[in-house]
Amino acid sequence: MAAQPKPLPVEGPHYLEGGGILGWLTTVDHKRVAVLYGVTALLLMLVGGTEAMLIRTQLMRPDNHVLTAAWYNQIFTMHGTTMIFLVIMPLETGFFANFLIPLQIGARDVAFPRINALSYWLFLAGAVFMHLGLVTHVLNLGTVPSGLPNAGWFGYANLTESQYSPGLNIDFWDIGLLILGVSSVLAALNFFVTIVNMRAPGMTFMRMPMFMWAILVTTILILLAFPALTVGLIFLFLDRFFGTHFYRVTAGATPILWQHLFWIFGHPEVYIMALPAFGMISEILPVFSRKPLFGYPMMAYSLVLIAFLSYGVWGHHMFATGMGPIADATFAITSMLIAIPTGIKVFSWIATVWGGRLRFTTAMLFALAFIIEFTIGGLSGIMHASAPIDLQQTDSYFVVAHFHYVLGGGVLFAILGAFYYWCPKISGRMLDETLGKWQFWLLVIGFNLTFFPMHWLGTWGMPRRIYTYAPGMGWSTLNFVETIGAYIQAVSFIVFFANILLTLRRGEKAAADPWDGRTLEWSVASPPPAYNFAVLPEGGSRDDFWVQKYGTLAGAHGGGSSAAGATAAAHAAAEAAEHIHMPAPSLYPLLFALGVFLMGVGALAWLRIVILGGMVVALSIIAMAFEYPAHGEEAAESEPVFYRGVDNRKAGMWAFLGSECVFFTALISTYMVYKSRNLAGPDAQILNIPLTSFSTFILLMSSLLMVLALAAFRRGDDKWGRIWLLGTAGFGCIFLGGQVYEFTDFYLQGLYMQTNIFGQTFYTLVGTHGFHVFIGVCWLVTLAIAGFLGKIDSKRSLAVEIAGLYWHFVDVVWIVIFTLVYLMRTVKHA
């Protein structure tokens, strides 16, 4: 079959050219942000790999003393934390998704370029902050012991309490993860809106590349899973800094609360890492099999079903905690059900390869190995859906083998395959295939030599997380073999990094479409220009670029553009590129992240640094809001007709509020469980119902004023718009004043946050909501001031509408809190 001529990419300056160091510090180009993510995550992969080698060296022989027990705990904790939060997630979502989303959906950039840049700088701040303890330890700074986090990457209570971890180690871990969580949520919000709102015309959801489906579902998981972890980390922060006892049994609490909050996040987190890998494999296999992806609709639906079921399986991590037969049975059933959509994907990948004209490139080898290794991990995972089997295997090396086959042999193999597949597009140069295949075989041999024997060790009773073991346990030989396998893996990654460095230095230049790809990213030059597409494409079919080249998904004749037509299109596109409006660079995302970093340092060192950091954050937010006041209007005029009238900010706010719903649900649920566990001191009887009823009425009336403010701005009545905005903010201040009075009264009656379990849950829940009200008041005052300065008018009333959505949400949340905390207390004690 003769191929039709390929569409010609527009030649011109690519995204890596120009700007210098300042250009990289202020960039908002999604491709440059992706490169920043990728370089940082690869450096941290070296750190995480070094930690793994130290662990395996320590366990190579019995009674070994390469590491002390204290350092082993720190290295063990940081290896898990690094690989999950600082390597795998950033590479998948920060690097590949960031680079490819606009290119695969036919857009010029992401929905929120500055938020995208902010997510990277917060990621960097969180990664650095988590390692600050090592710096303070080596330099012997301060009087409090410090070092790397040392309670396990899962941070189980009560190991993380100050009584058992008295230094700053866990504080660095807690605050660092909070910063990383904010980064992840911002990135997910940005990607979600980009995929939903900015697809090329004709690219319906059922025509998107499968990688886009995977990222879309992953962003939803992040938005709905991370808030639970955030709540757990806030509780831990309060325990360590303010003397509360959210996880202490003697105070009426339970350490199992942490496990629930952590695994409600933790098992969706497994799929947050796995689903992008599924998407990568689903892009690689069809290209090197020269066949369309088998069962596309079922592959898409299975992603959604996996995400849905992932929220009902967290309890299989907790079978050993004694949840009871009903809970055990429920989580066992859902854990078994989730194997069904996963099996659909495995069989669809096999069917895609079956009968294809296979090209065994390095990317294809990694993709095929992924199917085998991930299936091994999946089969051992199904075993853990059975509570009796799980009770035997939990906390043994069998579990270590299972999740390394899922996340190492599965996810990491997919990431490496994606490097070899998309590196030509990202860097403009081809990774060396010979070195790639050397790396592949070394990694396959080393990986299986390291982790497969762990199944036997776990069955023989070797517990995980042990520092050393006695020589007579029968574990010595397999641990020695595993360590040899780990060193082979280390050699494979040395080959990988050498391949990257050699490619960047003198690698073969890549064509626009070196693999004969199927999706739109291969239709532009390698590396792509800063604007991606001079003329935005029209997604008329699935695998649209393949159809442009060959006429049908199967590759039949017809439908391809003629060489003359392609040349004419290229010239037209080059002319159009001169009038493209791209987002301007900004320094404020970097300053925002710096402010957050200073707040974290101040929490451990000096309150004034917290205040300084907070001021930097506040000023950065205001500056970003008004940095380019006419940017939205200018961009709207330059965008194609099909983008006009679609505002990403409203969709972004709705996505954020969805995440906030989970956040407040976790807080409210904790209060509802804990309020009846009060052991001593004041309880809900102390609540001031009349005062709070009045405050509630005032807050609800403020929503009415917010509606009036928006209506006024929409009809061009700026004066009354400003008045209603200030009125809304004033009512919010009255509400906050009522809360301050109530809290002061409670304090005088002896109810502090540290007094009892009721005090800590009440103050945390109500105080967190009050903080949201305070943020809303500052937002409204800022908008009113902007109105006085003439920056808010009928054309920009959407800024008021978005603030209104936030304000109404805060009011609705308060109705729920008022009903459950205040009114239900009255009914109970009537």
Side-chain angles (χ1 to χ4, degrees), residues 130-161:
M130 204 169 287
H131 290 84
L132 272 185
L134 183 62
V135 178
T136 59
H137 175 80
V138 171
L139 298 181
N140 197 25
L141 300 175
T143 58
V144 182
S146 63
L148 293 172
N150 57 354
W153 66 269
F154 37 79
Y156 276 176
N158 288 325
L159 292 175
T160 53
E161 294 289 314

Side-chain angles (χ1 to χ4, degrees), residues 278-310:
F278 293 170
M280 293 170 178
I281 297 305
S282 299
E283 299 296 324
I284 294 171
L285 291 176
V287 169
F288 297 113
S289 300
R290 290 189 67 84
K291 286 177 59 182
L293 181 66
F294 181 87
Y296 177 97
M298 291 307 298
M299 290 285 276
Y301 298 147
S302 65
L303 285 170
V304 177
L305 185 56
I306 288 172
F308 177 77
L309 291 174
S310 71

Side-chain angles (χ1 to χ4, degrees), residues 227-240:
L229 176 64
T230 301
V231 169
L233 292 170
I234 289 173
F235 290 162
L236 178 59
F237 181 87
L238 295 174
D239 279 5
R240 294 186 63 87

Side-chain angles (χ1 to χ4, degrees), residues 44-60 66-67 72 74-80 82-83 397 404 412 450-451 454 482-487 489-490 493:
L44 289 166
M45 181 187 284
L46 289 173
V47 174
T50 302
E51 292 161 348
M53 295 308 302
L54 289 172
I55 292 171
R56 284 313 321 163
T57 302
Q58 168 63 23
L59 295 173
M60 187 174 188
V66 174
L67 298 173
Y72 182 86
Q74 294 178 50
I75 297 299
F76 169 83
T77 300
M78 281 309 298
H79 170 64
T82 299
M83 295 308 293
Y397 258 78
H404 275 91
L412 194 56
T450 300
F451 295 109
M454 290 183 183
E482 290 169 4
T483 302
I484 296 301
Y487 278 102
Q489 288 187 76
F493 277 99

Side-chain angles (χ1 to χ4, degrees), residues 47 79 106 215 270 276 357 524 560 601 636 654:
V47 174
H79 170 64
I215 295 300
V270 171
R357 287 174 290 164
V524 299
V601 172
W654 280 113

Side-chain angles (χ1 to χ4, degrees), residues 408-431:
V411 174
L412 194 56
F413 272 49
I415 290 174
L416 291 171
F419 264 103
Y420 284 93
Y421 180 60
W422 277 301
C423 185
K425 182 58 57 182
I426 296 170
S427 67
R429 295 183 180 273
M430 306 287 290
L431 284 171

Side-chain angles (χ1 to χ4, degrees), residues 199-205 207-208 537-542 544 642:
R199 301 185 311 279
M203 183 177 283
T204 62
F205 282 111
R207 290 175 177 171
M208 291 195 307
E538 295 189 11
S541 61
R542 194 181 305 155
D544 191 65
F642 65 90

